[in-house]
Amino acid sequence: MLSWDIVEHGKPLQKVMRETPAPKGSEVLMRITRSGVCHSDLHIWEGYFELGGGKRFYVKERGCVPPFTPGHEPFGVVEALGPRAKGVRVGQKRLIYPWIGCGKCAVCKAGQDNYCISGSRYLGVNRPGAYSTHVLVPDAKYLIDTTGVEDGFAATLACSAVTAYSAATKLPQIGPRDSIALLGCGGLGLIAISVLRARGVRNIIGCDIDDAKLAAAAKLGAKKTINTRAPDALQQMQGIAGAIDFVGSPATAALGIAALRKGGRYVICGLYGGELVHPLPPIAQRAIGIVGSYVGSLQELKEVVALAKKGRLRQAPVQTRSANEANSALEDLKAGKIIGRVVLDFESISPA
Ligand SMILES: [Zn+2]
Ligand SMILES: [Zn+2]
């Protein structure tokens, strides 16, 4: 198998050839055809998350030690089954749910692998990921049939769409006049517009510092767009029922929280970095909620796939590039040059 590995944090990924593993027990070996490039891949590549106040969280502390294969938006074809694997056949195309927990703790047993408390096995985060021609999946139950959805778009459902979907479930009850602001109109923000529309939200405000991304948001159904560099950005947003922050910087957090109406909720899933300093009494007096959201559960990904199959998710732009361009894709994402999502094509370079 061929993988594009982080051999040293912050240095270009290297193409590495190694022996393809044989699936054991209930494992399934998938041949990857498409693999989405996500903003959090940049943090894994660089090796840390910025915590603010000069502090950092290093990804090696959670098992991501180079050489490491990133990639957590995996789509592929079943290539081989372990002796106890059931539910799929060789040759079937499947989306892979990457947020795999230990499978044994109470949280995993309740179906929330993504919040596993004892030994997560997230593909591309602390287990070898999908910047590779092959990935081992612990069990066929993590494979989802996406027939009818374009393969590259299907790959992006595994992180960007399910993250937006799970965050949206944490918003307060939305009335017909309520507005929801999306902070950041990159890959996640754009798909979130469709996700919110599918959940009946009509007044969606797209917020970004890049007018090209705002134009893409308007095209996908945002009713209003705000360039947050505008001096009156806060006044333009004031009174929102909720905000989903896909950036997660001190500036976006300050804006999202300040613009909430009483009883509103700010949901953060962006990992840009920094720290939040906020006076305490107004959190109680305004009865606002500040909630975190991390990716989504297997059940939520199945619900997202069902929406995509019904044509309810308007596809944010997806650019397919050869896997050989993994490094330039990361560089372009870092430079803010990508509208929508880049998906790497591993089919055309497969060693088989
Ligand atoms: Zn991601
Ligand atoms: Zn667990």
Side-chain angles (χ1 to χ4, degrees):
M1 62 188 254
L2 272 174
S3 301
W4 274 253
D5 285 3
I6 297 164
V7 287
E8 195 180 332
H9 287 302
K11 297 279 163 64
L13 304 184
Q14 281 184 22
K15 202 167 171 176
V16 176
M17 177 76 103
R18 58 167 71 87
E19 205 173 326
T20 308
K24 296 187 221 82
S26 63
E27 288 176 341
V28 179
L29 178 69
M30 297 293 291
R31 180 168 59 78
I32 297 298
T33 56
R34 294 287 185 276
S35 183
V37 178
C38 176
H39 211 274
S40 63
D41 291 334
L42 291 177
H43 295 286
I44 293 165
W45 178 39
E46 283 165 342
Y48 59 86
F49 290 85
E50 211 60 79
L51 300 181
K55 286 179 236 145
R56 285 175 171 179
F57 171 78
Y58 289 92
V59 297
K60 65 177 184 217
E61 287 168 38
R62 63 169 188 209
C64 173
V65 180
F68 184 78
T69 313
H72 56 261
E73 288 190 340
F75 185 91
V77 177
V78 175
E79 182 153 295
L81 301 174
R84 285 190 284 112
K86 305 195 249 307
V88 286
R89 287 193 308 277
V90 170
Q92 285 180 323
K93 281 186 180 183
R94 288 291 182 268
L95 172 64
I96 304 166
Y97 174 76
W99 312 109
I100 301 170
C102 70
K104 292 172 197 145
C105 73
V107 182
C108 282
K109 282 195 172 141
Q112 292 252 255
D113 277 63
N114 54 316
Y115 300 145
C116 173
I117 48 171
S118 74
S120 54
R121 298 177 285 174
Y122 303 156
L123 303 179
V125 175
N126 47 25
R127 281 290 188 283
Y131 284 17
S132 179
T133 55
H134 293 82
V135 162
L136 264 186
V137 179
D139 195 288
K141 72 176 180 185
Y142 299 113
L143 302 175
I144 303 173
D145 182 357
T146 57
T147 305
V149 183
E150 192 267 316
D151 296 354
F153 180 50
T156 70
L157 302 178
C159 180
S160 66
V162 81
T163 298
Y165 186 85
S166 191
T169 66
K170 295 172 178 88
L171 289 169
Q173 267 220 314
I174 310 290
R177 298 211 175 149
D178 287 335
S179 301
I180 299 296
L182 301 176
L183 296 156
C185 294
L188 274 82
L190 292 184
I191 194 71
I193 295 168
S194 281
V195 166
L196 287 179
R197 286 172 62 93
R199 294 178 67 85
V201 180
R202 286 290 161 264
N203 302 314
I204 300 167
I205 308 174
C207 306
D208 206 287
I209 53 171
D210 179 344
D211 287 330
K213 289 178 183 162
L214 292 174
K219 216 169 145 192
L220 284 165
K223 221 170 222 178
K224 183 171 163 185
T225 58
I226 298 172
N227 189 315
T228 50
R229 284 206 169 127
D232 65 342
L234 177 58
Q235 285 93 310
Q236 290 188 60
M237 277 172 73
Q238 204 78 58
I240 54 173
I244 305 180
D245 189 349
F246 295 110
V247 181
S249 70
T252 54
L255 195 59
I257 294 169
L260 292 177
R261 64 154 158 74
K262 284 185 179 175
R265 201 166 298 164
Y266 163 82
V267 184
I268 175 168
C269 39
L271 298 168
Y272 181 88
E275 62 186 336
L276 176 65
V277 179
H278 195 275
L280 295 172
I283 297 177
Q285 290 158 335
R286 295 167 62 211
I288 56 171
I290 298 175
V291 185
S293 191
Y294 184 69
V295 300
S297 67
L298 177 59
Q299 178 56 32
E300 285 171 328
L301 182 55
K302 287 179 179 170
E303 289 164 18
V304 167
V305 168
L307 286 177
K309 282 183 175 177
K310 282 189 216 144
R312 301 279 304 277
L313 299 185
R314 284 182 70 189
Q315 193 171 328
V318 172
Q319 294 174 37
T320 307
R321 299 191 189 177
S322 163
N324 289 314
E325 291 168 50
N327 279 305
S328 63
L330 286 174
E331 292 289 359
D332 287 352
L333 188 62
K334 192 176 172 183
K337 286 188 200 158
I338 310 263
I339 303 285
R341 209 56 152 181
V342 169
V343 172
L344 299 174
D345 170 11
F346 283 86
E347 208 165 14
S348 51
I349 53 100
S350 201

